[in-house]
Amino acid sequence: MIYNAGGTFTPESSTFTISTYQYWHKSGTLNATDIIVASGGVLSFAGTSQIALPGSLTVQSGGLVTHSPHLWGVTTKKYQVDLSVAGNLDVQSGGEINVDGKGYATGPEGASVTNECRGGGVYGGDDIQFGQLKSIYGNRYSYGSALDPVDPGSGGGWCQSGTPGGGVIKLNVAGALTVDGQITSNGKSYGHEGAGSGGSVNIIAGTMAGSGNIKADGGNGGNDSGASGGRIALRTGGSSFGQLTISAFGSNYSGWYGETGSAGTIFTKTASQANGSLLIDNNNVSANSATTLFGNNRNCDSTCQSQTVTFDSITIQNKGKLRLVGTQTVTTTGDVSVATSSELQYAPDNDGSPANGAWPTVNVGGNLTVNGTVSSDGLGFAYNTGAGAGGTGTNNGGGAGFGGTGGASSDGGSGGATYGSGQNIAYIGSGGGSAQGGSGGGHVEMNVTGNTTLAATGIISANGDAGTTSG
């Protein structure tokens, strides 16, 4: 094994062939023009510094490029694969750039020693639990960027035994990237613990081709929760991505408890595109939680909540769910498609400031096709809040008002008042009275330049939630 901890390593030849041993790079300089990782050879990154190659990199069958694993308790990035290649990068059939399970064992949103045991890890999508599962697993919220993913995935697990997420792969290839093997940052699977989420794959290349795989999938949850997919961003100066299989799927679980994982994000941009395309695809795995562009809740600050982003197109398919939060504005120059059993969610700013609420906006420059759902159901003001909040009775509460007056409860909880008008609906729905009251509906705002097609299976809704014993 060769370990470069900060000096300059100069191989005997300008072509450095790694075979039957490992080269570990923490920092410093690797003074080689070309690198060949042959069968049995390992090129491993033990830090976050970049290797810049003036030539090319070839990963042959049986060769591996990876980085060190993050240990339990680490919550900041310590390792990544970071390569700048002036020539070509060829990942041949049987060759791998693989950081599966090398992300956080815990992480910003991984398993902890408090109440967040046995849940799946998250990154590109949330893991929101319901009912009894919420007290067992806790909630985890997505983080990072769909456009520039640089974070490790988070771990699932059984309290103090983490199941790591995927690591980080960053590649900048001036020439041709050919992938007939594997570039993967999948979360780890474990039979009796929550799974680790997918990690990051972030690639810029002159051209991309091949019939291999680029993946950042969540690991399988086994007896406990599945995990979210990671984040993939691919930019090429060419016209296509060849025959590559690209996925950031959330994962399922096969046991007694838990939730399935939500999809991650896949951003792709070719030379002919000004802004690139966004794909949310969950491999036909149903999940209660959703994917975000830049994080959610405690991982989405005021800048995140007010983000403005433009894509050429957005496709949500195979039971994928995309949640826009706060006052984010998403614009497309082309089409938006929400396929059957898939969903675009609006999660407004509902903390009471501004008083009427605020919400995301989608501007569609092309056509809008809805075979699935566009919704803001139950995402308005919570109980006892909003201009039309229901009143509180002795034990129960009245229903909220908005377009009409809410119903009173039998024990004195008044119905909520109306507000707005038929021409002014710039509000979100109010919550029912008492702590058992349901949340109001949110607000769906879409400006479509082209045609809007709402199929027989399509739904656009902003329904309020039912209360448990109140309005």
Side-chain angles (χ1 to χ4, degrees):
M1 183 180 78
I2 300 171
Y3 184 81
N4 189 350
T8 298
F9 175 72
T10 303
E12 294 181 355
S13 170
S14 61
T15 298
F16 179 34
T17 300
I18 305 172
S19 61
T20 67
Y21 63 92
Q22 300 181 18
Y23 174 84
W24 289 75
H25 185 86
K26 182 177 182 180
S27 60
T29 302
L30 174 57
N31 191 18
T33 302
D34 302 297
I35 296 177
I36 297 172
V37 185
S39 180
V42 178
L43 170 59
S44 183
F45 288 73
T48 58
S49 65
Q50 183 185 81
I51 290 179
L53 286 180
S56 297
L57 171 64
T58 302
V59 185
Q60 298 178 345
S61 179
L64 172 65
V65 178
T66 188
H67 67 64
S68 300
H70 289 77
L71 301 179
W72 175 266
V74 173
T75 58
T76 57
K77 182 172 65 174
K78 299 293 185 182
Y79 312 109
Q80 64 183 9
V81 171
D82 189 353
L83 282 162
S84 176
V85 182
N88 302 321
L89 198 166
D90 184 12
V91 184
Q92 298 177 355
S93 178
E96 296 182 89
I97 301 178
N98 181 322
V99 294
D100 295 355
K102 297 292 183 74
Y104 297 129
T106 49
E109 291 295 324
S112 75
V113 296
T114 57
N115 70 326
E116 298 187 3
C117 303
R118 296 163 62 179
V122 303
Y123 179 21
D126 296 328
D127 180 21
I128 308 301
Q129 305 291 339
F130 298 88
Q132 181 184 7
L133 297 180
K134 184 174 181 178
S135 64
I136 296 173
Y137 297 154
N139 290 334
R140 296 174 177 81
Y141 299 101
S142 52
Y143 55 97
S145 168
L147 301 181
D148 186 27
V150 295
D151 297 295
S154 288
W158 188 297
C159 298
Q160 298 186 48
S161 177
T163 305
V168 180
I169 297 171
K170 295 173 62 179
L171 305 174
N172 193 326
V173 182
L177 170 63
T178 304
V179 183
D180 289 313
Q182 312 283 328
I183 296 179
T184 60
S185 180
N186 298 322
K188 188 176 180 180
S189 302
Y190 191 75
H192 299 286
E193 300 180 357
S197 75
S200 291
V201 179
N202 194 337
I203 301 176
I204 301 172
T207 61
M208 290 192 196
S211 57
N213 298 311
I214 298 178
K215 293 179 174 290
D217 299 336
N220 191 285
N223 289 335
D224 293 297
S225 287
S228 85
R231 297 191 186 275
I232 296 175
L234 306 177
R235 294 172 170 85
T236 178
S239 59
S240 75
F241 297 92
Q243 303 300 312
L244 294 172
T245 298
I246 305 165
S247 67
F249 299 141
S251 60
N252 215 328
Y253 72 101
S254 56
W256 309 284
Y257 300 105
E259 296 284 347
T260 52
S262 47
T265 54
I266 299 175
F267 172 77
T268 56
K269 183 181 181 301
T270 63
S272 63
Q273 292 182 303
N275 307 290
S277 297
L278 178 70
L279 173 65
I280 310 296
D281 185 324
N282 210 33
N283 197 30
N284 282 314
V285 173
S286 296
N288 287 317
S289 302
T291 305
T292 66
L293 295 176
F294 305 106
N296 192 16
N297 198 274
R298 58 188 174 231
N299 296 322
C300 187
D301 61 14
S302 58
T303 300
C304 164
Q305 292 193 35
S306 59
Q307 279 276 9
T308 297
V309 62
T310 301
F311 299 102
D312 283 68
S313 64
I314 298 175
T315 302
I316 308 170
Q317 64 185 27
N318 294 327
K319 299 185 178 178
K321 293 182 180 181
L322 174 62
R323 172 175 283 204
L324 307 179
V325 302
T327 59
Q328 291 175 344
T329 300
V330 176
T331 299
T332 65
T333 56
D335 298 341
V336 172
S337 174
V338 184
T340 304
S341 301
S342 302
E343 186 172 354
L344 173 61
Q345 295 182 352
Y346 287 66
D349 178 348
N350 60 2
D351 62 3
S353 178
N356 296 339
W359 44 85
T361 301
V362 176
N363 303 306
V364 183
N367 300 321
L368 170 66
T369 303
V370 181
N371 289 283
T373 302
V374 177
S375 82
S376 192
D377 293 352
L379 293 172
F381 288 117
Y383 64 87
N384 290 337
T385 56
T392 300
T394 305
N395 296 302
N396 302 312
F402 182 8
T405 303
S409 70
S410 60
D411 60 352
S414 60
T418 61
Y419 55 101
S421 68
Q423 290 77 38
N424 177 18
I425 57 172
Y427 302 88
I428 62 177
S430 296
S434 91
Q436 289 76 42
S439 297
H443 186 109
V444 173
E445 183 164 325
M446 304 189 83
N447 304 300
V448 183
T449 301
N451 298 321
T452 297
T453 302
L454 182 62
T457 56
I459 299 171
I460 299 177
S461 63
N463 298 323
D465 274 347
T468 53
T469 60
S470 301

